[in-house]
Amino acid sequence: QVQLVESGGGLVQPGGSLRLSCTGADSTFRFYAIGWFRQAPGKDREGLACISSSDGRTYYSNSMKGRLIISRDNSKNTVYLQMNGLQSEDTAMYSCATGPVVTCSNVVGGIFHEMQSWGKGTLVTISS
């Protein structure tokens, strides 16, 4: 399984933006669909967005829809998650994940059993 490392988290003021990165360890990364997730303290993990491997099709959950843009640069083995209009309720640990067979509609629909390789996450804190 490809190993994933997230980066780009940090402290942001309400209304601000962040771009998170999910980088794969090797060039096989391009063959994997990648999902972005978050988990706030005391809450269930939530699937936010997913991008396919074949055609780069994107999928978004309703929770942050309109405030997220997922994209990938296979030359850099990286998937990005641009987050805009961040609010305090967006404070969470954000992680990326993949698996040998990923159905992106499952990811944004709250079904995660296909995800077998997870990064350690990057913490996003929204506070003034």
Side-chain angles (χ1 to χ4, degrees), residues 4-36:
L4 304 175
V5 178
E6 302 92 341
S7 62
L11 175 63
V12 178
Q13 290 188 342
S17 298
L18 274 178
R19 188 178 78 161
L20 306 182
S21 299
C22 172
T23 301
D26 58 59
S27 61
T28 60
F29 180 86
R30 70 185 62 203
F31 300 118
Y32 290 86
I34 302 294
W36 274 103

mmCIF file of all heavy atoms in Angstrom, residues 4-36:
data_model
loop_
_atom_site.group_PDB
_atom_site.id
_atom_site.type_symbol
_atom_site.label_atom_id
_atom_site.label_comp_id
_atom_site.label_asym_id
_atom_site.label_seq_id
_atom_site.Cartn_x
_atom_site.Cartn_y
_atom_site.Cartn_z
ATOM 1 N N LEU A 4 1.061 7.536 2.944
ATOM 2 C CA LEU A 4 0.582 8.899 2.757
ATOM 3 C C LEU A 4 1.027 9.786 3.914
ATOM 4 O O LEU A 4 1.015 9.351 5.072
ATOM 5 C CB LEU A 4 -0.946 8.915 2.669
ATOM 6 C CG LEU A 4 -1.573 8.020 1.594
ATOM 7 C CD1 LEU A 4 -3.087 8.053 1.714
ATOM 8 C CD2 LEU A 4 -1.135 8.451 0.203
ATOM 9 N N VAL A 5 1.381 11.023 3.600
ATOM 10 C CA VAL A 5 1.777 12.004 4.608
ATOM 11 C C VAL A 5 1.035 13.300 4.341
ATOM 12 O O VAL A 5 1.103 13.847 3.236
ATOM 13 C CB VAL A 5 3.291 12.255 4.589
ATOM 14 C CG1 VAL A 5 3.654 13.332 5.616
ATOM 15 C CG2 VAL A 5 4.050 10.968 4.871
ATOM 16 N N GLU A 6 0.327 13.790 5.369
ATOM 17 C CA GLU A 6 -0.401 15.046 5.247
ATOM 18 C C GLU A 6 0.462 16.205 5.760
ATOM 19 O O GLU A 6 1.310 16.029 6.642
ATOM 20 C CB GLU A 6 -1.694 15.016 6.056
ATOM 21 C CG GLU A 6 -2.650 13.913 5.695
ATOM 22 C CD GLU A 6 -2.444 12.658 6.518
ATOM 23 O OE1 GLU A 6 -1.360 12.499 7.108
ATOM 24 O OE2 GLU A 6 -3.371 11.818 6.583
ATOM 25 N N SER A 7 0.193 17.381 5.210
ATOM 26 C CA SER A 7 0.848 18.601 5.697
ATOM 27 C C SER A 7 -0.044 19.789 5.387
ATOM 28 O O SER A 7 -1.020 19.666 4.638
ATOM 29 C CB SER A 7 2.219 18.778 5.052
ATOM 30 O OG SER A 7 2.107 18.912 3.648
ATOM 31 N N GLY A 8 0.286 20.922 5.986
ATOM 32 C CA GLY A 8 -0.414 22.152 5.666
ATOM 33 C C GLY A 8 -1.376 22.632 6.732
ATOM 34 O O GLY A 8 -1.958 23.716 6.584
ATOM 35 N N GLY A 9 -1.571 21.855 7.780
ATOM 36 C CA GLY A 9 -2.460 22.293 8.844
ATOM 37 C C GLY A 9 -1.846 23.413 9.659
ATOM 38 O O GLY A 9 -0.675 23.767 9.494
ATOM 39 N N GLY A 10 -2.653 23.974 10.543
ATOM 40 C CA GLY A 10 -2.154 25.048 11.394
ATOM 41 C C GLY A 10 -3.288 25.833 12.004
ATOM 42 O O GLY A 10 -4.450 25.418 11.957
ATOM 43 N N LEU A 11 -2.940 26.991 12.561
ATOM 44 C CA LEU A 11 -3.903 27.883 13.202
ATOM 45 C C LEU A 11 -4.316 28.962 12.206
ATOM 46 O O LEU A 11 -3.453 29.653 11.638
ATOM 47 C CB LEU A 11 -3.276 28.523 14.436
ATOM 48 C CG LEU A 11 -4.111 29.576 15.170
ATOM 49 C CD1 LEU A 11 -5.387 28.947 15.729
ATOM 50 C CD2 LEU A 11 -3.282 30.218 16.270
ATOM 51 N N VAL A 12 -5.621 29.095 12.023
ATOM 52 C CA VAL A 12 -6.163 30.056 11.071
ATOM 53 C C VAL A 12 -7.289 30.830 11.735
ATOM 54 O O VAL A 12 -8.054 30.261 12.526
ATOM 55 C CB VAL A 12 -6.688 29.336 9.808
ATOM 56 C CG1 VAL A 12 -7.306 30.330 8.832
ATOM 57 C CG2 VAL A 12 -5.558 28.580 9.133
ATOM 58 N N GLN A 13 -7.402 32.092 11.419
ATOM 59 C CA GLN A 13 -8.501 32.892 11.940
ATOM 60 C C GLN A 13 -9.798 32.561 11.209
ATOM 61 O O GLN A 13 -9.776 32.132 10.042
ATOM 62 C CB GLN A 13 -8.184 34.379 11.777
ATOM 63 C CG GLN A 13 -7.072 34.849 12.689
ATOM 64 C CD GLN A 13 -6.909 36.356 12.656
ATOM 65 O OE1 GLN A 13 -7.383 37.032 11.743
ATOM 66 N NE2 GLN A 13 -6.245 36.896 13.656
ATOM 67 N N PRO A 14 -10.927 32.733 11.863
ATOM 68 C CA PRO A 14 -12.214 32.497 11.194
ATOM 69 C C PRO A 14 -12.320 33.293 9.900
ATOM 70 O O PRO A 14 -11.932 34.468 9.845
ATOM 71 C CB PRO A 14 -13.231 32.985 12.233
ATOM 72 C CG PRO A 14 -12.543 32.787 13.540
ATOM 73 C CD PRO A 14 -11.097 33.089 13.289
ATOM 74 N N GLY A 15 -12.827 32.619 8.886
ATOM 75 C CA GLY A 15 -12.930 33.224 7.570
ATOM 76 C C GLY A 15 -11.720 32.989 6.687
ATOM 77 O O GLY A 15 -11.747 33.305 5.490
ATOM 78 N N GLY A 16 -10.690 32.411 7.259
ATOM 79 C CA GLY A 16 -9.454 32.183 6.525
ATOM 80 C C GLY A 16 -9.483 30.934 5.675
ATOM 81 O O GLY A 16 -10.481 30.218 5.608
ATOM 82 N N SER A 17 -8.350 30.682 5.025
ATOM 83 C CA SER A 17 -8.208 29.548 4.114
ATOM 84 C C SER A 17 -6.939 28.764 4.439
ATOM 85 O O SER A 17 -5.991 29.314 5.020
ATOM 86 C CB SER A 17 -8.131 30.039 2.661
ATOM 87 O OG SER A 17 -9.298 30.711 2.293
ATOM 88 N N LEU A 18 -6.954 27.505 4.045
ATOM 89 C CA LEU A 18 -5.780 26.652 4.154
ATOM 90 C C LEU A 18 -5.763 25.713 2.955
ATOM 91 O O LEU A 18 -6.819 25.350 2.442
ATOM 92 C CB LEU A 18 -5.809 25.793 5.426
ATOM 93 C CG LEU A 18 -5.278 26.347 6.733
ATOM 94 C CD1 LEU A 18 -5.475 25.324 7.844
ATOM 95 C CD2 LEU A 18 -3.822 26.744 6.627
ATOM 96 N N ARG A 19 -4.550 25.318 2.568
ATOM 97 C CA ARG A 19 -4.414 24.266 1.575
ATOM 98 C C ARG A 19 -3.637 23.119 2.197
ATOM 99 O O ARG A 19 -2.473 23.290 2.582
ATOM 100 C CB ARG A 19 -3.709 24.745 0.310
ATOM 101 C CG ARG A 19 -3.754 23.697 -0.802
ATOM 102 C CD ARG A 19 -3.102 24.154 -2.082
ATOM 103 N NE ARG A 19 -1.651 24.089 -2.013
ATOM 104 C CZ ARG A 19 -0.854 24.082 -3.082
ATOM 105 N NH1 ARG A 19 -1.380 24.111 -4.305
ATOM 106 N NH2 ARG A 19 0.458 24.048 -2.929
ATOM 107 N N LEU A 20 -4.303 22.002 2.302
ATOM 108 C CA LEU A 20 -3.672 20.805 2.835
ATOM 109 C C LEU A 20 -3.093 19.981 1.693
ATOM 110 O O LEU A 20 -3.627 19.992 0.581
ATOM 111 C CB LEU A 20 -4.678 19.969 3.611
ATOM 112 C CG LEU A 20 -5.442 20.681 4.728
ATOM 113 C CD1 LEU A 20 -6.372 19.693 5.428
ATOM 114 C CD2 LEU A 20 -4.509 21.348 5.699
ATOM 115 N N SER A 21 -2.018 19.252 1.996
ATOM 116 C CA SER A 21 -1.391 18.374 1.017
ATOM 117 C C SER A 21 -1.352 16.949 1.536
ATOM 118 O O SER A 21 -1.150 16.721 2.729
ATOM 119 C CB SER A 21 0.046 18.831 0.721
ATOM 120 O OG SER A 21 0.069 20.127 0.178
ATOM 121 N N CYS A 22 -1.543 16.024 0.629
ATOM 122 C CA CYS A 22 -1.421 14.591 0.929
ATOM 123 C C CYS A 22 -0.435 14.031 -0.084
ATOM 124 O O CYS A 22 -0.749 13.983 -1.279
ATOM 125 C CB CYS A 22 -2.778 13.925 0.800
ATOM 126 S SG CYS A 22 -2.760 12.121 0.915
ATOM 127 N N THR A 23 0.724 13.633 0.381
ATOM 128 C CA THR A 23 1.799 13.212 -0.511
ATOM 129 C C THR A 23 2.054 11.720 -0.361
ATOM 130 O O THR A 23 2.181 11.216 0.760
ATOM 131 C CB THR A 23 3.083 14.001 -0.218
ATOM 132 O OG1 THR A 23 2.800 15.398 -0.385
ATOM 133 C CG2 THR A 23 4.192 13.603 -1.168
ATOM 134 N N GLY A 24 2.143 11.048 -1.492
ATOM 135 C CA GLY A 24 2.423 9.625 -1.513
ATOM 136 C C GLY A 24 3.916 9.343 -1.587
ATOM 137 O O GLY A 24 4.694 10.157 -2.064
ATOM 138 N N ALA A 25 4.287 8.152 -1.113
ATOM 139 C CA ALA A 25 5.713 7.827 -0.999
ATOM 140 C C ALA A 25 6.357 7.483 -2.328
ATOM 141 O O ALA A 25 7.585 7.576 -2.468
ATOM 142 C CB ALA A 25 5.902 6.680 -0.016
ATOM 143 N N ASP A 26 5.566 7.080 -3.312
ATOM 144 C CA ASP A 26 6.161 6.704 -4.580
ATOM 145 C C ASP A 26 5.190 6.954 -5.730
ATOM 146 O O ASP A 26 4.053 7.387 -5.520
ATOM 147 C CB ASP A 26 6.607 5.231 -4.560
ATOM 148 C CG ASP A 26 5.460 4.299 -4.251
ATOM 149 O OD1 ASP A 26 4.473 4.302 -5.011
ATOM 150 O OD2 ASP A 26 5.545 3.563 -3.244
ATOM 151 N N SER A 27 5.648 6.687 -6.937
ATOM 152 C CA SER A 27 4.877 7.055 -8.129
ATOM 153 C C SER A 27 3.636 6.202 -8.358
ATOM 154 O O SER A 27 2.819 6.539 -9.202
ATOM 155 C CB SER A 27 5.781 6.994 -9.363
ATOM 156 O OG SER A 27 6.278 5.682 -9.534
ATOM 157 N N THR A 28 3.480 5.131 -7.560
ATOM 158 C CA THR A 28 2.239 4.352 -7.688
ATOM 159 C C THR A 28 1.046 5.161 -7.196
ATOM 160 O O THR A 28 -0.099 4.805 -7.437
ATOM 161 C CB THR A 28 2.308 3.043 -6.882
ATOM 162 O OG1 THR A 28 2.504 3.348 -5.484
ATOM 163 C CG2 THR A 28 3.445 2.159 -7.360
ATOM 164 N N PHE A 29 1.316 6.269 -6.535
ATOM 165 C CA PHE A 29 0.287 7.174 -6.024
ATOM 166 C C PHE A 29 -0.714 7.523 -7.104
ATOM 167 O O PHE A 29 -1.907 7.641 -6.845
ATOM 168 C CB PHE A 29 0.974 8.431 -5.478
ATOM 169 C CG PHE A 29 0.067 9.467 -4.916
ATOM 170 C CD1 PHE A 29 -0.339 9.405 -3.602
ATOM 171 C CD2 PHE A 29 -0.370 10.532 -5.698
ATOM 172 C CE1 PHE A 29 -1.165 10.380 -3.065
ATOM 173 C CE2 PHE A 29 -1.185 11.502 -5.173
ATOM 174 C CZ PHE A 29 -1.590 11.427 -3.860
ATOM 175 N N ARG A 30 -0.252 7.658 -8.323
ATOM 176 C CA ARG A 30 -1.136 8.110 -9.398
ATOM 177 C C ARG A 30 -2.251 7.121 -9.700
ATOM 178 O O ARG A 30 -3.234 7.474 -10.349
ATOM 179 C CB ARG A 30 -0.321 8.356 -10.657
ATOM 180 C CG ARG A 30 0.238 7.105 -11.320
ATOM 181 C CD ARG A 30 1.127 7.463 -12.476
ATOM 182 N NE ARG A 30 2.282 8.229 -12.030
ATOM 183 C CZ ARG A 30 2.971 9.031 -12.827
ATOM 184 N NH1 ARG A 30 2.640 9.147 -14.095
ATOM 185 N NH2 ARG A 30 4.008 9.690 -12.362
ATOM 186 N N PHE A 31 -2.087 5.873 -9.270
ATOM 187 C CA PHE A 31 -3.087 4.854 -9.563
ATOM 188 C C PHE A 31 -4.170 4.750 -8.492
ATOM 189 O O PHE A 31 -5.066 3.914 -8.603
ATOM 190 C CB PHE A 31 -2.407 3.497 -9.738
ATOM 191 C CG PHE A 31 -1.402 3.474 -10.860
ATOM 192 C CD1 PHE A 31 -0.064 3.217 -10.621
ATOM 193 C CD2 PHE A 31 -1.802 3.719 -12.167
ATOM 194 C CE1 PHE A 31 0.860 3.207 -11.656
ATOM 195 C CE2 PHE A 31 -0.883 3.709 -13.211
ATOM 196 C CZ PHE A 31 0.447 3.455 -12.951
ATOM 197 N N TYR A 32 -4.066 5.598 -7.456
ATOM 198 C CA TYR A 32 -4.993 5.505 -6.334
ATOM 199 C C TYR A 32 -5.946 6.699 -6.289
ATOM 200 O O TYR A 32 -5.522 7.844 -6.430
ATOM 201 C CB TYR A 32 -4.225 5.471 -5.010
ATOM 202 C CG TYR A 32 -3.456 4.193 -4.770
ATOM 203 C CD1 TYR A 32 -2.159 4.036 -5.264
ATOM 204 C CD2 TYR A 32 -4.015 3.155 -4.047
ATOM 205 C CE1 TYR A 32 -1.448 2.876 -5.043
ATOM 206 C CE2 TYR A 32 -3.308 1.988 -3.818
ATOM 207 C CZ TYR A 32 -2.029 1.852 -4.320
ATOM 208 O OH TYR A 32 -1.332 0.698 -4.088
ATOM 209 N N ALA A 33 -7.232 6.405 -6.050
ATOM 210 C CA ALA A 33 -8.149 7.461 -5.653
ATOM 211 C C ALA A 33 -7.811 7.857 -4.214
ATOM 212 O O ALA A 33 -7.435 7.009 -3.404
ATOM 213 C CB ALA A 33 -9.590 6.980 -5.731
ATOM 214 N N ILE A 34 -7.931 9.132 -3.919
ATOM 215 C CA ILE A 34 -7.564 9.649 -2.595
ATOM 216 C C ILE A 34 -8.758 10.359 -1.968
ATOM 217 O O ILE A 34 -9.414 11.183 -2.622
ATOM 218 C CB ILE A 34 -6.388 10.636 -2.695
ATOM 219 C CG1 ILE A 34 -5.169 9.974 -3.346
ATOM 220 C CG2 ILE A 34 -6.039 11.183 -1.308
ATOM 221 C CD1 ILE A 34 -4.538 8.866 -2.555
ATOM 222 N N GLY A 35 -9.002 10.053 -0.710
ATOM 223 C CA GLY A 35 -10.058 10.729 0.035
ATOM 224 C C GLY A 35 -9.490 11.576 1.159
ATOM 225 O O GLY A 35 -8.442 11.262 1.721
ATOM 226 N N TRP A 36 -10.179 12.660 1.448
ATOM 227 C CA TRP A 36 -9.845 13.528 2.593
ATOM 228 C C TRP A 36 -10.945 13.394 3.638
ATOM 229 O O TRP A 36 -12.132 13.377 3.312
ATOM 230 C CB TRP A 36 -9.732 14.987 2.178
ATOM 231 C CG TRP A 36 -8.393 15.398 1.674
ATOM 232 C CD1 TRP A 36 -8.023 15.589 0.372
ATOM 233 C CD2 TRP A 36 -7.230 15.685 2.454
ATOM 234 N NE1 TRP A 36 -6.710 15.981 0.297
ATOM 235 C CE2 TRP A 36 -6.189 16.047 1.572
ATOM 236 C CE3 TRP A 36 -6.947 15.677 3.822
ATOM 237 C CZ2 TRP A 36 -4.916 16.389 1.992
ATOM 238 C CZ3 TRP A 36 -5.676 16.014 4.251
ATOM 239 C CH2 TRP A 36 -4.667 16.363 3.343
#
